[in-house]
Amino acid sequence: MAPLEITASRADPALLDLPWETPLEQWPDEILAALPRGISRHVVRFARVSGRVLALKEISHALAQREYEMLRVLGRLEIPAVESFAVVSGRTTPSGEELDAVLITRHLQFSLPYRAVFSQVSRPDTAHRLLDALAVLLVRLHLEGFYWGDVSLSNTLFRRDAGAFAAYLVDVETGSLHEQLSTGQRHYDLDLARTNIIGELMDLQAGDMFDPEADPVAVGDDLISRYEELWETLTSRERFSADERWRVSARIEKLNELGFDVGELEITTDLDGTTLSIMPKVVDAGHHARRLMRLTGIDAQENQARRLLNDLDQYRADTEQQLEDEEFVAHEWLQRQYEPVVRAVPRSMRSKLEPPEFFHEILEHKWFLSEKQGHDVSLDETVRHYILNVLIHRPDEKSLVTTETSALPIFDS
């Protein structure tokens, strides 16, 4: 019998207690965590180990090892993706039959596969919000030289992001990293994405989970246009006369508004110096998230960070501290505005939403209540009303416990 082998950056001895001699699809329910699963060509299960939830995928040893290493590389590049945890190989049944290896990744807390999103979120623009998130993820991957090779909603997880969604890469089995992608490689990824997404949306329509009047082909085409628009904005060369130098700052500000920092900008002139051209060379996503982290230490998605920073700016104006140090005001806002709100959530409800998303929801609810009552409603009153009338009815999203997405309550968000 071959020895069991576990490859991990930080191995957990509790992994040895799992029934590796049994095919994954036959594992007993008592050791599994019943989380919503996306569609996969492989057997995928979730297990609770040492207080954490792990995702386990049964595949060949070569593929498991390759995907494990690729996820570690993407993690170092700060690409939104699940985190690799371990590879278990050398598995055999008691009778000596060889079993496939298992790739283990950490379960992405507060994330949902696309089918769970459509089951839980009842809004006509859900598909477009998911595709917006997928377009941003695909652009980020392509900027880093990553060719996905299997773009689909099924290979993506989604987390709430201040009224939008943030997309995370799940399956990198067919992916490869290059110095720079060719136009052909990018377009092949896009074409594959369009084909897969149209098929997935048609499948949702057949199951009454997607608007029967919507056109899946048009939605698939929309992904292409959204991707191309963002790619053009981030990478195209812009030409203008030498007396329009303000356009350099305007280009950088536009990229910042989209959530990207410019690490390097190429500026060239023609021979007589009358024309300038600029082209971003190094572009990093996460502009607002990095600024929020620097000022407050809050780790948030990009749109959440944008919303929290807007509230910080509003607080600065309301307290007439525009001339004060930004770091000083941010510390005060954190103590007086943000922390009292997120601490008000009862412990039993803290797995329903991430703290930054809860704060965003409170700001939205405050506007709704103030408009309804015709006067400014305080944050304290808003928090109480939201918890008692909205939050209490939401499902837990930290580790949503159900395998049937049809069992999820519909929630308009």
Side-chain angles (χ1 to χ4, degrees):
M1 181 180 291
L4 190 70
E5 182 178 328
I6 299 178
T7 302
S9 56
R10 275 181 279 181
D12 186 341
L15 288 175
L16 296 171
D17 298 329
L18 297 176
W20 299 115
E21 72 284 357
T22 304
L24 196 54
E25 64 182 350
Q26 297 175 17
W27 280 24
D29 290 341
E30 56 265 25
I31 64 173
L32 297 178
L35 301 180
R37 298 195 297 267
I39 297 173
S40 174
R41 65 176 70 90
H42 306 289
V43 177
V44 176
R45 296 291 184 270
F46 296 94
R48 298 188 188 276
V49 178
S50 299
R52 65 171 71 89
V53 177
L54 301 176
L56 299 88
K57 180 168 71 170
E58 205 168 47
I59 51 177
S60 72
H61 178 255
L63 286 177
Q65 194 64 44
R66 182 180 182 279
E67 193 165 356
Y68 172 80
E69 296 296 343
M70 183 62 72
L71 286 172
R72 293 188 68 186
V73 171
L74 293 177
R76 288 194 288 271
L77 293 173
E78 298 184 343
I79 293 294
V82 294
E83 182 184 346
S84 60
F85 188 80
V87 172
V88 179
S89 56
R91 300 171 64 219
T92 57
T93 65
S95 62
E97 180 186 352
E98 292 187 2
L99 297 174
D100 275 339
V102 172
L103 170 69
I104 306 175
T105 56
R106 291 180 184 270
H107 169 61
L108 185 63
Q109 292 185 338
F110 297 100
S111 67
L112 296 167
Y114 79 100
R115 283 178 168 270
V117 173
F118 276 97
S119 291
Q120 190 186 146
V121 181
S122 176
R123 277 180 53 167
D125 66 341
T126 296
H128 292 288
R129 290 193 293 159
L130 292 185
L131 293 188
D132 276 343
L134 187 57
V136 171
L137 175 62
L138 199 50
V139 165
R140 289 186 65 175
L141 291 171
H142 288 174
L143 286 171
E144 293 289 351
F146 183 80
Y147 169 74
W148 194 341
D150 195 10
V151 189
S152 67
L153 294 173
S154 299
N155 288 334
T156 314
L157 285 173
F158 297 92
R159 296 171 83 175
R160 297 184 187 276
D161 186 12
F165 288 99
Y168 284 75
L169 184 62
V170 177
D171 193 318
V172 297
E173 197 175 307
T174 57
S176 55
L177 201 59
H178 304 263
E179 188 69 28
Q180 184 176 357
L181 292 186
S182 67
T183 301
Q185 286 173 310
R186 291 194 302 106
H187 285 172
Y188 186 82
D189 246 2
L190 273 176
D191 186 58
L192 189 62
R194 176 183 177 275
T195 301
N196 286 341
I197 287 166
I198 290 172
E200 288 167 326
L201 293 179
M202 286 180 172
D203 185 52
L204 288 175
Q205 277 184 327
D208 293 327
M209 297 169 66
F210 183 52
D211 182 2
E213 301 300 319
D215 182 0
V217 175
V219 177
D221 290 339
D222 193 40
L223 170 71
I224 305 296
S225 61
R226 288 165 191 249
Y227 170 95
E228 294 289 9
E229 181 183 359
L230 183 55
W231 183 267
E232 177 75 10
T233 302
L234 292 175
T235 64
S236 65
R237 184 177 292 278
E238 184 178 356
R239 290 180 172 81
F240 46 87
S241 65
D243 59 0
E244 294 182 293
R245 296 181 183 182
W246 57 269
R247 290 174 62 174
V248 176
S249 297
R251 178 70 178 273
I252 294 173
E253 287 175 9
K254 182 177 181 180
L255 294 180
N256 290 165
E257 288 172 5
L258 290 171
F260 290 81
D261 282 326
V262 180
E264 186 178 322
L265 189 70
E266 179 186 280
I267 304 178
T268 58
T269 63
D270 60 3
L271 291 176
D272 60 6
T274 60
T275 303
L276 286 175
S277 80
I278 60 172
M279 184 173 71
K281 298 292 285 183
V282 179
V283 183
D284 298 315
H287 170 77
H288 298 96
R290 274 193 291 273
R291 181 173 168 233
L292 183 69
M293 174 66 81
R294 175 177 58 82
L295 288 173
T296 67
I298 298 171
D299 186 8
Q301 307 285 354
E302 184 64 16
N303 287 320
Q304 291 169 347
R306 191 196 312 264
R307 186 66 196 276
L308 267 60
L309 288 168
N310 286 343
D311 190 66
L312 169 58
D313 290 340
Q314 185 64 50
Y315 177 84
R316 194 175 187 180
D318 291 346
T319 56
E320 299 181 353
Q321 298 187 78
Q322 293 94 329
L323 300 180
E324 293 287 350
D325 243 3
E326 187 177 44
E327 287 80 2
F328 172 82
V329 181
H331 181 70
E332 184 179 297
W333 170 86
L334 186 68
Q335 289 188 320
R336 297 185 180 181
Q337 194 99 332
Y338 180 80
E339 289 181 345
V341 167
V342 298
R343 280 201 302 263
V345 181
R347 288 188 181 276
S348 61
M349 297 186 189
R350 290 181 183 175
S351 57
K352 292 177 179 288
L353 288 174
E354 293 180 283
E357 186 68 18
F358 175 73
F359 191 82
H360 156 73
E361 292 275 333
I362 290 299
L363 296 179
E364 290 283 290
H365 200 64
K366 184 177 187 295
W367 176 87
F368 166 76
L369 289 180
S370 299
E371 184 182 63
K372 185 177 180 180
Q373 297 181 22
H375 63 86
D376 187 53
V377 176
S378 70
L379 263 181
D380 287 345
E381 184 180 345
T382 301
V383 170
R384 284 193 298 271
H385 189 275
Y386 182 85
I387 290 173
L388 293 174
N389 295 277
V390 181
L391 188 64
I392 194 171
H393 301 297
R394 296 193 72 130
D396 287 1
E397 292 187 3
K398 187 174 185 178
S399 295
L400 198 60
V401 182
T402 177
T403 54
E404 292 297 326
T405 55
S406 59
L408 295 170
I410 300 296
F411 191 85
D412 188 358
S413 175

